[in-house]
Amino acid sequence: MWTRGSVNRPDFGYHRAIMPALCRDCLHQFQTGPRCPACRSPRIVSHPELFDLTIAHMDCDAFYASVEKRDNPALRDQPVIIGGGRRGVVSTACYIARIKGVRSAMPMFQALKLCPEAVVVKPRMAAYVEASRAIRAMMDDLTPSIEPLSLDEAFLDLAGTARLHHAPPAAMLARLTKRMQSELGLTGSIGLSHNKFLAKVASDLDKPRGFSVIGAAETAAFLHDKPVRLIWGVGQAMQAALDRAGIRTFADLLRWDRKDLHARFGAMGDRLWHLARGQDHRRVSAHAPMKSISNETTFFEDTSDPDLLDGHIWRLSEKVSDRAKARNLAGRVVTLKLKRANHTLLTRRTSLHDPTQFADRIYRTARDLFDQLANQGPYRLIGVGLSDISAETTADLTGDLLDPDAAKRGDAERAADRIRAKFGHDAILKGRALR
Amino acid sequence: MKISIERGALLKAVGQAQSVVERRNTIPILANVLIEAEGNEVSFRATDLDIEVVDKAPAQVERAGATTVSAVTLHEIVRKLPDGALVTLIDDSSAGRLTVEAGRSNFSLATLPKEDFPLMASSEYDTNFSAPAPVLRRLFDKSKFAISTEETRYYLNGVYLHVATGDSGQVLRCVATDGHRLARIDAPLPSGAEGMAGVIVPRKTVNELRKLLENDETAIAVSVSETKVRFATPEITLTSKVIDGTFPDYTRVIPQGNTRKLVVDAAEFAQAVDRVATVSSERSRAVKLSLDEDRLILSVNAPDSGAAEEELGVAYSDEKLEIGFNAKYLLEIAGQVDRENAVFLFNSSGDPTLMREGDDTSAVYVVMPMRV
């Protein structure tokens, strides 16, 4: 019997009897079998390279929604959508809502049409930041090589930690998700592989509460028929360019020379060539210099509806802020990007006085930029970015005379973060009571 | 057209015109200055479509006429000519050239037809009054440092010129703010200015205006409508569109209940701030003010580069206070003090702080503290 954790069915000649396996409930290590010999749990992961792989990607399951369900158990069995009132776009949907077809970035009215019984909850960023910091602290126990991508996902490199922990990386990662669940009430999925690209791909294969492994030996076979949009960073535009070149799957990509790929796609071409071979040499690093943080979204259908666009600006600002906070960074230049239906690109940027990492300030600035564009829609894509990056210690230091509420909102968020960092998880309850 | 004009007079007139011309612009005619000669006068007109300046100078006009030529090139040429030279401008419209002669120098410049030059539509002004140059100079000089550069808040990209009620009746008032600091400057209301609509004078106009205000003896004719403002001396007329927006209600920003009072020698204070700020290379350098019983300690702590501290003797008798500010803002505000003492009024370390000179409320500054 092949186990859940293995993503590829063919047998690579390993004898099953000697394939290492791990129980994700009791962390018992054993040889392949349908159930854990120690606790009889069926939640096992087994793979020939299970205890040799060191690069992981941890991705929380429906993070915002999970935090809301944890803090308000009445929501547990209900479809929950995170997204703010008039900003009519879905931030996160819980798995119950996803069954009905609700997705992130979907207009709220559409989501509610698909799932009218859904409970819509306004995002509580402070609570998510607090939960993220707690998870981060747990990851810090595993390895110093952590690269947070946003509040709810991070790369971890556990190379060389086996001796310290007296356990292989796979066991430590299983313990991490177990701790997240028991101590924080949040679940996450793990992707384990030999580089960042494949780790990220793997974490998405078995959500939620997943644990997927892509070994070196099976990489080529695994990628072969997969579409190239699996690559993080290949969005609609790149996809279209690849389509025109007749590249749809990794197998198509393999037929290209490195030189030709470079000629056609520039630096991205080189990267594609490597990725086609399952190679990704980027290191897991929390300190990788970051020049900008941006997020963008392509619409299901072109739109010039200002309310909907406003909703997207808010959601994207929040995402950008999330990622900045996860890396303790801030930025001074806010960029708004819009792509019109005819594919022409509009970008507008403006410099703030001092750097910020607040979603609120990013949103307001991007919104001002949006207001200054005469309506040139319909648009097919919108993006918000933050650049001129600096450390968060320089951010949001001076309040705004003309918007005293901004300072209050910022102070409240900061104070909440501090109190929770100091007094732990329970302080969240107090914070909620005050809201 | 053929005129002769003294180099000094020409330089001044062309200089004013060329500074209005935008360095980077895509419409060729906007790089040019319109030269019009008639009677015994020549005028130089330049515009960026938002601002128009007309500068008149006396000249010997042999043949009246008009043409346009690159403002920057003409200015450069005139600037490099020897002092006291007599310059002759001859327009050959059939060849599309303007000849500039001075002594043994001879230049031939490409021209564009005068008909292409965009003239700012003349408009009716609702309010007309005259104000002495020193009064306007004080109003704008003391407020313009606080003008915002954030393009998204375009309505802050200028000085709000309006009539307000001050401590002793109606005043002509200038307010500028960028959200971090604010300047509110009052002057006695000139007769004829009553009922003037408030206008936001753009930053560039404020800078151009400054050149009209050099001479203390000049009276400036000010005309204001809802969309335009005009400042004129006998030689120069500066017309500008005003910023189409609503200036925020600044009155609620100016703290009324700040009770902790610090009196400090402004020059000494500014020098000390400047000195301690040296150790930090950050863009926003934070200076901490620690106040306790007639003692002010200024300190900067930049973890990456070092720390600095300086003590000043001051007058302060209120409760102990620690408050941080952006060094640049403090320097700018302290730099506005003409007399000796700056008076700071604090509330808490998180609230806006007010600064004025002694008990004079005709120039009031507000600055937002910084977390330190």
Side-chain angles (χ1 to χ4, degrees), chain B residues 16-328:
Chain B
Q16 177 86 39
Q18 67 95 32
S19 77
V20 168
V21 167
E22 281 290 334
R23 287 293 170 274
R24 289 180 315 186
N25 75 63
T26 49
I27 308 170
I29 191 77
L30 293 183
N32 281 13
V33 54
L34 173 65
I35 309 170
E36 290 170 303
E38 209 182 332
N40 50 7
E41 220 174 42
V42 59
S43 73
F44 298 87
R45 186 186 299 258
T47 183
D48 67 357
L49 297 181
D50 288 327
I51 303 177
E52 183 189 71
V53 65
V54 184
D55 201 337
K56 293 193 182 107
Q60 267 176 268
V61 180
E62 280 181 44
R63 196 164 68 240
T67 188
T68 82
V69 68
S70 163
V72 174
T73 312
L74 182 62
H75 178 251
E76 281 295 286
I77 289 171
V78 177
R79 194 174 61 80
K80 289 170 183 170
L81 289 174
D83 204 12
L86 187 71
V87 187
T88 306
L89 305 178
I90 308 151
D91 174 41
D92 181 354
S93 48
S94 59
R97 287 283 185 269
L98 176 79
T99 307
V100 182
E101 286 174 4
R104 280 183 277 182
S105 310
N106 192 304
F107 307 85
S108 176
L109 305 178
T111 61
L112 288 171
K114 63 175 191 288
E115 293 77 19
D116 293 358
F117 194 88
L119 298 177
M120 193 173 267
S122 58
S123 54
E124 295 285 310
Y125 292 98
D126 310 319
T127 310
N128 295 284
F129 61 92
S130 169
V135 168
L136 290 180
R137 196 164 66 209
R138 176 173 173 277
L139 281 173
F140 286 99
D141 276 5
K142 282 179 166 293
S143 55
K144 70 178 174 193
F145 75 94
I147 298 174
S148 171
T149 51
E150 270 182 60
E151 285 152 31
T152 49
R153 293 209 264 186
Y154 58 93
Y155 47 85
L156 298 182
N157 294 165
V159 168
Y160 183 44
L161 173 68
H162 62 296
V163 176
T165 308
D167 289 346
S168 47
Q170 287 215 311
V171 291
L172 185 62
R173 176 176 282 178
C174 275
V175 176
T177 180
D178 64 357
H180 296 309
R181 52 253 160 88
L182 177 144
R184 189 196 77 188
I185 317 298
D186 291 350
L189 191 70
S191 69
E194 305 83 7
M196 180 187 83
V199 287
I200 308 170
V201 185
R203 166 200 303 278
K204 186 173 172 186
T205 309
V206 172
N207 289 332
E208 292 302 322
L209 169 64
R210 190 62 181 79
K211 293 171 195 153
L212 276 64
L213 307 176
E214 294 295 350
N215 188 346
D216 279 1
E217 306 309 316
T218 321
I220 310 290
V222 184
S223 308
V224 179
S225 75
E226 264 182 39
T227 54
K228 276 187 201 136
V229 61
R230 168 174 285 181
F231 300 93
T233 67
E235 297 83 31
I236 308 173
T237 305
L238 176 70
T239 311
S240 168
K241 292 183 187 164
V242 297
I243 294 174
D244 183 14
T246 309
F247 200 80
D249 175 16
Y250 62 87
T251 51
R252 61 188 176 87
V253 168
I254 297 171
Q256 304 297 334
N258 286 10
T259 51
R260 296 169 172 185
K261 184 173 173 186
L262 160 72
V263 183
V264 60
D265 180 298
E268 211 177 273
F269 176 75
Q271 285 164 11
V273 169
D274 196 18
R275 270 193 293 270
V276 292
T278 317
V279 294
S280 169
S281 57
E282 280 168 32
R283 170 190 284 277
S284 51
R285 297 185 281 188
V287 174
K288 187 164 85 177
L289 278 59
S290 310
L291 282 158
D292 190 15
E293 281 183 25
D294 291 347
R295 227 162 51 122
L296 165 64
I297 296 172
L298 295 161
S299 59
V300 170
N301 194 354
D304 295 337
S305 49
E309 202 178 282
E310 181 158 340
E311 194 180 314
L312 285 178
V314 297
Y316 183 79
S317 54
D318 294 295
E319 217 181 320
K320 238 165 122 165
L321 177 70
E322 288 198 346
I323 187 167
F325 292 101
N326 184 324
K328 184 171 151 252

Side-chain angles (χ1 to χ4, degrees), chain A residues 29-353:
Chain A
Q29 296 170 30
F30 57 101
Q31 303 299 331
T32 316
R35 280 178 183 274
C36 169
C39 72
R40 306 307 300 161
S41 163
R43 292 186 73 234
I44 61 166
V45 53
S46 64
H47 190 278
E49 299 171 40
L50 183 62
F51 295 140
D52 305 324
L53 299 168
T54 60
I55 312 265
H57 179 249
M58 193 289 296
D59 193 2
C60 294
D61 303 324
F63 183 58
Y64 293 2
S66 304
V67 172
E68 295 300 339
K69 291 196 176 198
R70 176 195 71 184
D71 292 349
N72 182 1
L75 296 175
R76 203 187 67 185
D77 299 322
Q78 304 198 39
V80 170
I81 296 175
I82 312 297
R86 68 188 178 87
R87 318 193 209 276
V89 184
V90 176
S91 252
T92 310
C94 77
Y95 283 89
I96 303 174
R98 288 187 199 188
I99 292 170
K100 295 291 190 83
V102 179
R103 296 284 177 268
S104 320
M106 187 177 269
M108 193 60 85
F109 73 88
Q110 195 179 345
L112 290 173
K113 209 182 282 173
L114 290 166
C115 186
E117 68 277 24
V119 181
V120 178
V121 181
K122 273 196 182 165
R124 293 181 303 135
M125 290 316 296
Y128 311 147
V129 169
E130 142 70 16
S132 172
R133 296 217 163 133
I135 295 171
R136 176 67 194 266
M138 291 181 183
M139 295 194 290
D140 282 335
D141 292 345
L142 299 191
T143 172
S145 296
I146 301 166
E147 180 177 333
L149 293 178
S150 66
L151 288 182
D152 62 344
E153 56 178 317
F155 285 115
L156 300 102
D157 184 352
L158 288 101
T161 62
R163 185 167 295 180
L164 174 72
H165 297 309
H166 304 292
M172 294 312 294
L173 292 162
R175 176 178 294 169
L176 169 68
T177 49
K178 205 179 150 194
R179 270 187 79 189
M180 279 166 54
Q181 188 158 14
S182 62
E183 294 175 30
L184 302 174
L186 299 168
T187 65
S189 297
I190 300 284
L192 180 63
S193 189
H194 52 96
N195 63 40
K196 282 163 71 171
F197 162 54
L198 291 166
K200 181 147 168 88
V201 168
S203 70
D204 210 30
L205 291 173
D206 188 27
K207 273 181 146 296
R209 291 183 81 211
F211 195 124
S212 298
V213 182
I214 301 175
E218 71 196 291
T219 298
F222 169 78
L223 288 176
H224 193 266
D225 296 325
K226 296 282 186 293
V228 280
R229 79 177 113 73
L230 205 58
I231 297 169
W232 191 42
V234 171
Q236 291 214 343
M238 189 68 200
Q239 174 82 53
L242 288 165
D243 276 347
R244 281 193 295 278
I247 300 170
R248 202 185 59 79
T249 66
F250 279 83
D252 300 332
L253 205 49
L254 276 175
R255 284 194 283 273
W256 282 64
D257 277 346
R258 187 170 179 175
K259 218 172 55 200
D260 296 341
L261 276 176
H262 184 86
R264 185 145 185 157
F265 302 108
M268 186 65 186
D270 278 337
R271 194 162 148 63
L272 287 172
W273 188 86
H274 284 290
L275 292 178
R277 284 148 188 83
Q279 298 167 2
D280 179 4
H281 299 296
R282 292 171 308 165
R283 290 177 51 183
V284 174
S285 164
H287 307 293
M290 224 186 204
K291 284 189 190 144
S292 68
I293 302 171
S294 63
N295 279 82
E296 57 186 51
T297 219
T298 305
F299 305 129
F300 295 95
E301 55 190 72
D302 296 352
T303 180
S304 43
D305 175 356
D307 288 342
L308 191 62
L309 290 163
D310 179 71
H312 279 286
I313 296 172
W314 170 255
R315 194 182 59 85
L316 293 166
S317 302
E318 207 175 48
K319 273 193 161 182
V320 167
S321 153
D322 251 36
R323 290 171 58 201
K325 282 175 184 160
R327 283 178 169 253
N328 306 328
L329 293 175
R332 209 172 65 83
V333 175
V334 174
T335 307
L336 176 76
K337 173 175 163 185
L338 284 158
K339 194 179 273 181
R340 293 157 72 188
N342 63 6
H343 288 266
T344 51
L345 200 61
L346 297 168
T347 51
R348 294 289 181 273
R349 62 179 56 204
T350 190
S351 299
L352 299 169
H353 263 283

